[in-house]
Amino acid sequence: MKELFNLKGKTALVTGGGQGIGRAIALALAEFGADVVVNFRGNEKLAEQTASDARKFGAKALLWKFDLARADAGAEWKKFSEENACPADILVANASMQVRAPFDEVTDEDFEAQINVNLRSTLRLVSEVVPHMAQNRWGRILNIGSVQQARPHRDMCVYAATKAGLVNLVKNLAPRLAPMGITINNLAPGAIATARNKDALADAEYRKAVESNIPLGYVGEAEDCAGAALLLCSDAGRYITGADYFVDGGLSLRF
């Protein structure tokens, strides 16, 4: 059974891998043998820390600085991977843009940024990594969604819509990619104590209200997402495709 999780010889591209859930997943994949490419937009210090920690497991780790709001994600990844001889066997599409605003105050800029980072870049990267995966008859694609697929936040309508879109993308592509030996799945975190949520969760009253809606009764940590990601990115999950896994303490069950 242990060998089913072995990722030796595989390379994983993790977008937004410098911190939070992306970092936790990158390190889990490295611990089980994968080399990792840590994509980041601006905070090189955090990205390098993730890469440095991945190397402690014996993994090769590279940094790819690229803003996924740009339209050329696929082309730029192809260029980077060819220059560095690191085609992706595993893609973890984790990076996302989240803007809090009432629906009638969403600007065109905020709308486009969230659509571009959360949806367009994922499609472009998937399109670019598939040929290599298909050639090897082995590939793993994991989209990081959100509990907001099921429980959209009232002030994050665009963000929630993009995460629902990722689920549909997974279901659309799963039967197309399966004959090539490629699985594609969605992992939907709930309330996780990441930097993005730090300020909101620092409010004791707000945190109490959030936890009151979580059946397990507490906010999760980024590492809570790593085990499910490892399953879906390894041979242990080879018979799982088109699936949508909630890692949310049961939050999605409360309405």
Side-chain angles (χ1 to χ4, degrees):
M1 177 62 71
K2 180 179 178 181
E3 194 61 27
L4 291 176
F5 290 94
N6 186 355
L7 296 172
K8 194 71 174 176
K10 307 298 185 186
T11 296
L13 166 60
V14 182
T15 66
Q19 58 184 314
I21 294 170
R23 168 184 162 82
I25 292 175
L27 293 183
L29 300 181
E31 183 176 357
F32 281 80
D35 296 328
V36 296
V37 178
V38 180
N39 160 257
F40 69 103
R41 181 180 64 174
N43 198 323
E44 186 167 358
K45 183 178 180 180
L46 288 179
E48 178 53 46
Q49 185 60 60
T50 298
S52 177
D53 290 342
R55 295 182 190 115
K56 294 175 183 177
F57 294 113
K60 296 177 183 177
L62 297 173
L63 301 185
W64 179 38
K65 183 176 182 178
F66 182 79
D67 184 354
L68 291 168
R70 289 170 46 181
D72 55 347
E76 285 300 305
W77 168 249
K78 180 179 181 180
K79 179 181 177 181
F80 180 90
S81 64
E82 289 178 349
E83 290 177 349
N84 292 276
C86 59
D89 305 291
I90 299 166
L91 168 63
V92 180
N94 164 75
S96 68
M97 175 70 71
Q98 182 187 91
V99 178
R100 293 180 181 235
F103 75 94
D104 53 354
E105 295 180 14
V106 176
T107 66
D108 287 345
E109 291 77 12
D110 288 342
F111 177 85
E112 291 172 5
Q114 292 174 94
I115 290 291
N116 292 344
V117 174
N118 302 357
L119 270 178
R120 184 178 66 185
S121 71
T122 299
L123 179 61
R124 295 291 178 251
L125 289 175
V126 168
S127 298
E128 192 53 53
V129 301
V130 160
H132 168 73
M133 295 177 177
Q135 183 178 11
N136 292 329
R137 304 288 303 170
W138 196 99
R140 299 289 182 267
I141 298 171
L142 180 62
N143 290 343
I144 305 302
S146 169
V147 69
Q148 291 201 41
Q149 300 159 199
R151 297 195 62 185
H153 191 288
R154 60 182 296 169
D155 289 333
M156 298 187 211
C157 66
V158 178
Y159 175 80
T162 63
K163 294 302 185 177
L166 285 176
V167 178
N168 194 280
L169 186 66
V170 163
K171 294 182 181 300
N172 188 302
L173 296 183
R176 300 169 187 264
L177 300 180
M180 307 176 196
I182 303 168
T183 67
I184 180 169
N185 294 289
N186 193 71
L187 190 155
I192 305 294
T194 60
R196 173 180 287 174
N197 299 321
K198 181 178 179 181
D199 291 342
L201 293 175
D203 183 324
E205 185 174 341
Y206 176 79
R207 183 172 185 131
K208 183 178 180 180
V210 169
E211 292 181 333
S212 69
N213 282 315
I214 302 173
L216 284 180
Y218 60 90
V219 169
E221 301 293 335
E223 290 73 18
D224 291 322
C225 299
L230 177 63
L231 168 69
L232 297 172
C233 291
S234 67
D235 278 337
R238 65 190 176 192
Y239 205 55
I240 303 170
T241 196
D244 185 17
Y245 276 67
F246 284 90
V247 182
D248 67 350
L251 179 59
S252 58
L253 304 174
R254 291 288 178 87
F255 291 95

